[in-house]
């Protein structure tokens, strides 16, 4: 019989010197208990007292031998599934914890893994976790989008309405749009005629464009006042073609803002604009 104990921890043997513990196979708190300890004494087991014949694994014995039957049949009788000592099922210790009695570990409050009453809690936990994770993803995405979204003042500065009534004929009016100068010129009939006269040679220019493609209304030229070479601000009413001239490296533009001479690669850039009415233009 197993010894009488008052505390489950007294059933725990030392880990040293026991070759039959299978650590890592099952839950640790169960596999470190020896349900039936194999005898290691050298004497012959006494079957009449219920002693196990498994001691044959340690010392040689002939307790299994029966001269009236084949040896393989006699040995098979002592196989674990065919032989157990008297009272084994009633006396084998089955501790479920090493926590001393009187200490609450809530093991008796837990439902088995496959119990049906555990499912509502699992469903609730899964749904709650999914909702929380979805909320976190949504918050991160919104914060990321709002971080990259332009501020209201930047957005407002991207659209500028200009009153054209103060602009005189032939004048080069300068406004600020998105931190860039924009040239708004009310062209004279001579400027319009000079620009249209060069339309037949437009295909041979570095950046081909006709006067009609550059000006939505013939009398109004609206371009960004930045040289397309290195970003300098060209001077109006200057250069070989009377339009704009960049003194930094000598780029010449005509009255349509087309590049005619110099190192600049393109014509003066056209900003996005629309005429709201006869005297108002909206940039952006």
């Amino acid at each position: 019989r197993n010894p009488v104990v008052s505390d489950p921890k007294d059933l725990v043997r030392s880990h040293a010197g026991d070759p039959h513990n299978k650590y890592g196979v099952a839950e640790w708190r169960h596999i470190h208990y020896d349900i039936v300890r194999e005898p290691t004494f050298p004497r012959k087991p006494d079957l009449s007292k219920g002693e196990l014949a498994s001691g044959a694994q340690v010392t040689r014995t002939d307790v299994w031998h029966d001269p009236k039957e084949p040896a393989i049949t006699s040995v098979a009788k002592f196989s674990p599934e065919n032989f157990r000592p008297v009272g084994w099922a009633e006396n084998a210790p089955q501790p479920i914890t090493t926590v001393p009695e009187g200490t609450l570990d809530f093991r008796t409050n837990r439902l088995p893994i496959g119990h049906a009453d555990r499912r509502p809690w699992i469903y609730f936990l899964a749904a709650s976790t999914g909702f929380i994770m979805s909320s976190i993803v949504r918050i991160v995405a919104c914060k990321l989008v709002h971080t990259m979204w332009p501020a209201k003042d930047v957005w407002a500065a991207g659209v500028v309405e200009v009153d054209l009534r103060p602009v005189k004929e032939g004048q080069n009016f300068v406004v600020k749009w998105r931190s860039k100068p924009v040239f708004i010129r009310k062209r004279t009939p001579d400027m319009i005629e000079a620009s249209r006269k060069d339309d037949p040679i437009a295909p041979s220019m570095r950046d081909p464009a006709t006067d009609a493609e550059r000006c939505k209304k013939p009398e109004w030229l609206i371009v960004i006042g930045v040289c397309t070479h290195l970003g300098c601000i060209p001077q109006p009413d200057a250069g070989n073609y009377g339009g704009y001239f960049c003194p930094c490296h000598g780029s010449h533009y005509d009255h349509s803002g087309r590049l005619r001479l110099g190192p600049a690669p393109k014509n003066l850039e056209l900003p996005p604009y629309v005429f709201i009415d006869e005297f108002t233009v909206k940039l952006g």
Side-chain angles (χ1 to χ4, degrees):
R1 286 180 174 276
N2 290 284
V4 177
V5 296
S6 58
D7 199 328
K9 66 182 180 61
D10 293 337
L11 294 174
V12 182
R13 295 187 60 216
S14 172
H15 299 168
D18 186 357
H20 303 293
N21 278 331
K22 300 178 176 58
Y23 292 101
V25 177
E27 293 189 12
W28 184 83
R29 66 175 183 270
H30 291 163
I31 55 91
H32 64 275
Y33 291 104
D34 296 325
I35 304 302
V36 178
R37 188 176 305 175
E38 296 180 354
T40 57
F41 43 81
R43 65 180 176 80
K44 179 185 295 187
D46 187 352
L47 298 184
S48 63
K49 296 181 180 180
E51 295 178 350
L52 293 178
S54 56
Q57 298 178 7
V58 182
T59 60
R60 292 183 177 275
T61 179
D62 59 354
V63 70
W64 54 267
H65 180 63
D66 187 348
K68 298 180 181 179
E69 60 185 7
I72 190 172
T73 304
S74 300
V75 172
K77 292 180 180 179
F78 297 100
S79 179
E81 61 268 17
N82 296 326
F83 178 81
R84 289 291 185 270
V86 178
W88 176 84
E90 294 79 3
N91 295 285
Q94 299 289 339
I96 60 173
T97 179
T98 59
V99 180
E101 296 295 336
T103 302
L104 297 178
D105 59 358
F106 302 100
R107 291 178 182 273
T108 56
N109 299 82
R110 300 174 185 173
L111 293 173
I113 296 297
H115 199 283
D117 290 343
R118 290 174 59 97
R119 295 181 182 178
W121 164 249
I122 295 176
Y123 295 156
F124 170 76
L125 192 62
S128 301
T129 303
F131 176 77
I132 294 173
M133 294 305 298
S134 301
S135 300
I136 294 176
V137 171
R138 174 186 173 277
I139 291 173
V140 172
C142 290
K143 290 293 183 181
L144 183 62
V145 171
H146 291 165
T147 300
M148 297 186 295
W149 200 264
K152 291 184 178 180
D153 56 343
V154 176
W155 188 270
V159 178
V160 177
E161 293 185 4
V162 182
D163 186 4
L164 302 177
R165 285 175 293 187
V167 183
K168 298 179 182 180
E169 190 175 39
Q171 178 184 359
N172 186 74
F173 188 72
V174 182
V175 298
K176 185 178 180 181
W177 175 73
R178 294 185 180 177
S179 301
K180 298 179 181 179
V182 175
F183 295 161
I184 300 178
R185 164 165 281 181
K186 188 173 184 181
R187 301 192 298 178
T188 63
D190 293 339
M191 293 178 180
I192 298 174
E193 183 181 357
S195 299
R196 290 181 174 179
K197 183 178 65 176
D198 292 337
D199 281 350
I201 63 173
S204 64
M205 297 179 183
R206 187 174 300 170
D207 189 7
T210 63
D211 182 71
E213 293 172 348
R214 302 277 300 171
C215 303
K216 295 182 179 181
K217 289 187 177 182
E219 66 272 22
W220 293 104
L221 171 66
I222 303 177
V223 295
I224 296 178
V226 177
C227 181
T228 57
H229 181 220
L230 292 177
C232 304
I233 298 179
Q235 298 176 354
D237 301 319
N240 296 346
Y241 297 89
Y244 300 94
F245 173 68
C246 181
C248 299
H249 300 91
S251 296
H252 299 256
Y253 303 89
D254 61 13
H255 292 294
S256 293
R258 296 176 293 194
L259 175 69
R260 304 300 297 273
L261 185 65
K266 295 182 179 180
N267 304 330
L268 292 178
E269 185 180 353
L270 299 176
Y273 67 92
V274 61
F275 287 95
I276 300 177
D277 53 38
E278 185 179 356
F279 300 105
T280 307
V281 62
K282 182 173 71 173
L283 301 177

